[in-house]
Amino acid sequence: MSVPQASIILPVYNEAESLPVLWAELEPVLTQLPGTAEVVIVDDGSTDGSAAIVRGLARADRRVRLVRLGANAGLTAALLAGFAAARGDSIVTMDSDLQYDPVDIPPLLALLDRYDAALGWRGRRHDTWTKRLSSRIANRVRNAVLGDAFRDSACTLRAMRRPCLAAIAPYHGMHRFVPTLLAEAGCRVIEVEVRHRPRRHGASKYGIRNRSVRVLVDLLAVRWMRARRVAYTVVEDTDQDR
């Protein structure tokens, strides 16, 4: 298989019911992309047969790849494993629970002609009121602590150029702060409203309920990293004159 121009990374944890529907929606979108694409599905230690479904998809379509983790390691780990496996110049991430619509992928990728990263934000969310409220509070606290104004830091529907991956720290919880990390690294970032749909199967696997303390610790860790960031400017390098 030739090197693809875009890699679409889908973290999966017990999404056996959703995967066939997701592929049926995603497959026609792949034909709309200007270049070749691969779909890297990262199974994060599923116990419901999700990996077997992905193997079947990979046998039927060479664009599909399975990366299977030995045990459930969390969303950040699944995304990092996908980044390490991805071969495309452009990287797209999206949850596998059907709440995002794959038709939003081409417009996000098209923006990479002018920006380093196009990040989705859920303007009209189809979640429970408790989840919407907790997310709104989390975003406001994050914005106040970090001093930025991103609308939806936890939205995982994103497109970015490959060099952006270097800005995402390999620590648990960093998936919640991707917009801040990219902006801090000097990437040109734009937020784009994307569709959000009601969940069709099961319950959220990566929600923030009962994780308030962990989220706060992660937030303080990002603030500490920003404060300790090394900055310098090279004013002369004699080797460039040779």
Side-chain angles (χ1 to χ4, degrees), residues 151-163:
R151 304 179 189 183
D152 191 0
S153 184
C155 178
T156 60
L157 180 51
R158 307 169 176 132
M160 64 192 85
R161 296 181 179 180
R162 173 173 285 278

Side-chain angles (χ1 to χ4, degrees), residues 76-121:
T76 300
L79 289 171
L80 291 173
F83 295 158
R87 298 175 295 181
D89 292 328
S90 301
I91 308 296
V92 176
T93 63
M94 186 178 73
D95 285 346
S96 303
D97 58 10
L98 303 177
Q99 289 199 266
Y100 295 112
D101 193 332
V103 300
D104 283 320
I105 292 176
L108 291 177
L109 282 171
L111 287 168
L112 298 187
D113 288 341
R114 289 172 286 161
Y115 299 91
D116 297 310
L119 312 178
W121 70 277

Side-chain angles (χ1 to χ4, degrees):
M1 181 178 178
S2 60
V3 177
Q5 292 179 263
S7 296
I8 300 172
I9 299 171
L10 306 175
V12 168
Y13 179 57
N14 290 343
E15 296 288 1
E17 292 181 288
S18 299
L19 283 169
V21 180
L22 176 60
W23 177 245
E25 293 182 342
L26 179 58
E27 196 277 334
V29 170
L30 298 180
T31 63
Q32 302 173 24
L33 302 182
T36 58
E38 66 175 356
V39 179
V40 181
I41 304 179
V42 183
D43 180 72
D44 185 18
S46 295
T47 58
D48 68 343
S50 291
I53 293 174
V54 179
R55 290 192 196 98
L57 295 176
R59 285 193 295 268
D61 195 313
R62 295 183 62 193
R63 293 173 296 183
V64 178
R65 299 170 55 197
L66 168 65
V67 174
R68 188 164 67 92
L69 306 187
N72 180 241
L75 182 54
T76 300
L79 289 171
L80 291 173
F83 295 158
R87 298 175 295 181
D89 292 328
S90 301
I91 308 296
V92 176
T93 63
M94 186 178 73
D95 285 346
S96 303
D97 58 10
L98 303 177
Q99 289 199 266
Y100 295 112
D101 193 332
V103 300
D104 283 320
I105 292 176
L108 291 177
L109 282 171
L111 287 168
L112 298 187
D113 288 341
R114 289 172 286 161
Y115 299 91
D116 297 310
L119 312 178
W121 70 277
R122 295 161 288 186
R124 183 180 180 187
R125 293 188 58 168
H126 292 275
D127 285 319
T128 63
W129 72 268
T130 54
K131 190 169 183 179
R132 294 197 305 271
L133 177 62
S134 63
S135 180
R136 188 177 298 116
I137 293 172
N139 274 313
R140 288 180 179 176
V141 171
R142 184 193 58 77
N143 289 346
V145 173
L146 297 180
D148 59 36
F150 290 109
R151 304 179 189 183
D152 191 0
S153 184
C155 178
T156 60
L157 180 51
R158 307 169 176 132
M160 64 192 85
R161 296 181 179 180
R162 173 173 285 278
C164 291
L165 300 183
I168 303 174
Y171 301 107
H172 285 293
M174 292 302 102
H175 65 275
R176 302 185 187 97
F177 306 100
V178 168
T180 299
L181 295 172
L182 294 181
E184 185 69 14
C187 299
R188 297 167 299 170
V189 177
I190 184 173
E191 284 190 290
V192 181
E193 185 173 357
V194 295
R195 297 167 181 82
H196 190 250
R197 306 182 292 192
R199 188 175 181 89
R200 303 187 202 180
H201 306 292
S204 175
K205 313 298 193 306
Y206 297 112
I208 66 171
R209 192 177 70 176
N210 300 326
R211 295 187 181 185
S212 299
V213 174
R214 183 183 304 178
V215 173
L216 178 59
V217 170
D218 294 340
L219 178 59
L220 295 177
V222 172
R223 181 171 178 175
W224 180 88
M225 286 190 294
R226 292 181 66 179
R228 300 291 292 173
R229 181 182 176 87
V230 176
Y232 59 89
T233 302
V234 175
V235 296
E236 183 176 2
D237 182 349
T238 59
D239 189 59
Q240 293 182 1
D241 298 328
R242 298 174 183 174

